[in-house]
Amino acid sequence: MTSYSPPRNRMAVALLSLVGLFIALYMLAYALGLTGDVMCGIGDCERVQNSPYSRIGPVPVAGFGVVGYLALLVATFLGIQPGFQNSRWIPVTLLVGCSLGLVFTGYLTYLEAFVIHAWCQWCVASAIIMVLAFLASLPEVRRIGENR
Amino acid sequence: MSSETSGGSLRGFYIVFAVVAVVGLGAVGYNVGSSAFSKTAMEPVDLAGAVEDMRVLRDMAVPVTLGEQDAPVTIIVFGDYYCNHCGAFSLRERPRVVENYVNTGKARLVFYDFVLDPRPEAGTFLAARAARCAGDQGRFWDYHDRLYRSQLTWGMESDKVSVFQEYGAELGLDTGDFNACLKSDRHAQEVSANRELAHALGLGGTPMVMVGTGRGMSRRLDNYYFETIQAAVDEILGDTATNQ
């Protein structure tokens, strides 16, 4: 009997998504007025979070983060189950999700650096998480070919 | 499956995942929960015996001032945020007082909160604190006037905290700081002490305008109209000029 070994990169994306989800939840709670001061040891989180760019329409940007991280979390959680080892949509979902997340977080980082001229440590942490998740999702390119 | 991306232990992963989940949930939950359960001061607080000692009470009572510290005349106003005559004074008469006397260095305006209805549901104590929270960001008078312009609106609202938060955002305040201040007991002592000071002085209503030199007793005016204030201030200025 051989023991099942789940893909490490998917476990890594799952853990990164979980941490990202909590950061996004914290930022969303702040945007909705459910917390007081935002904890911010580095940078000027209040300025970033209160800028006009902190919302897309009526929705706080953090809300998109919560949905995105949650989607990645569900996909990776399924992806580490034995029954989904050869699924074709898991690699596609992870690659597309991480790529979209990378583009979105890149846009937000651009806004911090060149438009708002202030940094929020939580946004930077989320951006680093997204870059790492994207890198961890790259082995999925090979799986798409393998699972054809 | 390649060895570089496979081979992890599912059980070990679940343990690490659970630890991260518990820590994350705890951190976010604690932050939101502590904010939700933090005591928003909605009514006057106990001043621990200061009421009986006028000198202690005067030290605890902190007005908001406008104008030069060494102005020859001091105009003291006791006001309540739900009193419509206080609104009339603030929006109609005060600008004329400021223009003619405060901006010219002849007088200093001193405002004390006098919360007439201390019940939490009345919202006037919270309104006074909200104005002072705005004052922490240098916007006391803007917020003060905003409250007077919308007395009936916020007065009828059941969720006054949210309305006051909206006013803060509308004025472009740092909402994080402002909301945190509003949902705490910051400025509760000053506002409570100001109210007790008004009681100790025997003031029966608002707005109460008093004019003096800032030393000794001030003269209570019969009404809050600019012309009445003007006459009282000019009289002191005339006396000051005669004595020099």
Side-chain angles (χ1 to χ4, degrees):
Chain A
M1 184 180 162
T2 53
S3 64
Y4 169 65
S5 299
R8 280 189 178 141
N9 72 310
R10 290 183 184 176
M11 291 194 288
V13 175
L15 284 172
L16 288 166
S17 301
L18 183 65
V19 176
L21 176 65
F22 285 125
I23 291 176
L25 277 173
Y26 178 51
M27 289 293 97
L28 182 63
Y30 173 76
L32 296 177
L34 300 175
T35 63
D37 291 331
V38 62
M39 287 186 288
C40 194
I42 305 165
D44 189 350
C45 299
E46 301 274 1
R47 191 169 158 197
V48 175
Q49 295 300 327
N50 292 312
S51 76
Y53 303 97
S54 65
R55 284 175 185 264
I56 297 175
V59 184
V61 164
F64 293 94
V66 169
V67 173
Y69 281 123
L70 208 54
L72 281 179
L73 196 58
V74 170
T76 47
F77 231 84
L78 290 174
I80 59 173
Q81 305 306 318
F84 287 87
Q85 276 286 281
N86 300 318
S87 162
R88 199 160 16 138
W89 71 265
I90 293 283
V92 172
T93 304
L94 286 181
L95 276 170
V96 171
C98 287
S99 301
L100 285 176
L102 189 71
V103 171
F104 190 54
T105 204
Y107 169 67
L108 296 177
T109 305
Y110 161 80
L111 289 176
E112 284 180 275
F114 300 107
V115 180
I116 307 169
H117 300 294
W119 295 95
C120 165
Q121 67 181 36
W122 299 108
C123 309
V124 173
S126 180
I128 292 170
I129 285 170
M130 211 54 247
V131 170
L132 293 176
F134 174 75
L135 293 175
S137 74
L138 289 178
E140 301 297 332
V141 175
R142 197 167 45 205
R143 287 205 184 92
I144 293 175
E146 286 171 359
N147 297 344
R148 260 183 196 157
Chain B
M1 194 70 51
S2 68
S3 60
E4 61 189 8
T5 57
S6 296
S9 153
L10 202 53
R11 190 168 166 223
F13 166 77
Y14 283 143
I15 291 170
V16 175
F17 189 90
V19 170
V20 174
V22 168
V23 171
L25 273 177
V28 175
Y30 173 76
N31 206 281
V32 173
S34 60
S35 176
F37 292 109
S38 67
K39 182 75 180 156
T40 302
M42 303 283 287
E43 57 188 325
V45 296
D46 182 17
L47 298 174
V51 179
E52 287 81 39
D53 190 333
M54 192 62 177
R55 276 182 301 182
V56 177
L57 187 57
R58 279 192 182 202
D59 286 342
M60 289 177 88
V62 181
V64 179
T65 63
L66 190 63
E68 292 172 20
Q69 189 72 26
D70 58 354
V73 178
T74 299
I75 303 167
I76 300 170
V77 180
F78 279 83
D80 171 77
Y81 283 102
Y82 201 57
C83 137
N84 56 350
H85 285 287
C86 298
F89 167 76
S90 282
L91 302 176
R92 199 178 62 207
E93 312 297 333
R94 200 194 74 222
R96 298 173 70 190
V97 172
V98 170
E99 184 188 343
N100 289 283
Y101 293 107
V102 177
N103 289 348
T104 54
K106 294 174 184 170
R108 184 169 71 111
L109 190 66
V110 176
F111 178 82
Y112 285 93
D113 323 89
F114 183 8
V115 176
L116 294 177
D117 186 346
R119 293 173 307 134
E121 56 269 33
T124 44
F125 182 82
L126 186 66
R129 282 189 49 242
R132 283 166 178 269
C133 288
D136 291 343
Q137 299 182 39
R139 303 287 301 278
F140 173 83
W141 296 104
D142 293 332
Y143 202 95
H144 173 92
D145 290 350
R146 182 70 186 85
L147 288 169
Y148 279 126
R149 272 200 302 276
S150 308
Q151 279 177 315
L152 288 178
T153 309
W154 62 260
M156 305 292 252
E157 285 284 346
S158 54
D159 183 4
K160 293 182 171 55
V161 172
S162 296
V163 181
F164 294 156
Q165 285 178 333
E166 281 173 26
Y167 292 168
E170 186 189 295
L171 288 174
L173 299 179
D174 181 328
T175 49
D177 278 351
F178 178 76
N179 296 348
C181 175
L182 196 62
K183 288 182 172 179
S184 71
D185 61 355
R186 215 184 299 168
H187 302 302
Q189 184 173 292
E190 299 103 282
V191 176
S192 303
N194 289 353
R195 179 170 185 267
E196 288 305 330
L197 180 65
H199 284 151
L201 293 171
L203 306 187
T206 54
M208 175 56 71
V209 183
M210 298 191 272
V211 173
T213 59
R215 294 176 297 278
M217 296 294 283
S218 296
R219 180 181 145 202
R220 294 181 194 185
L221 305 187
D222 295 333
N223 60 59
Y224 57 87
Y225 300 129
F226 173 73
E227 290 73 17
T228 308
I229 297 170
Q230 183 180 39
V233 172
D234 286 347
E235 190 181 323
I236 295 176
L237 289 173
D239 289 346
T240 309
T242 308
N243 294 337
Q244 279 175 349

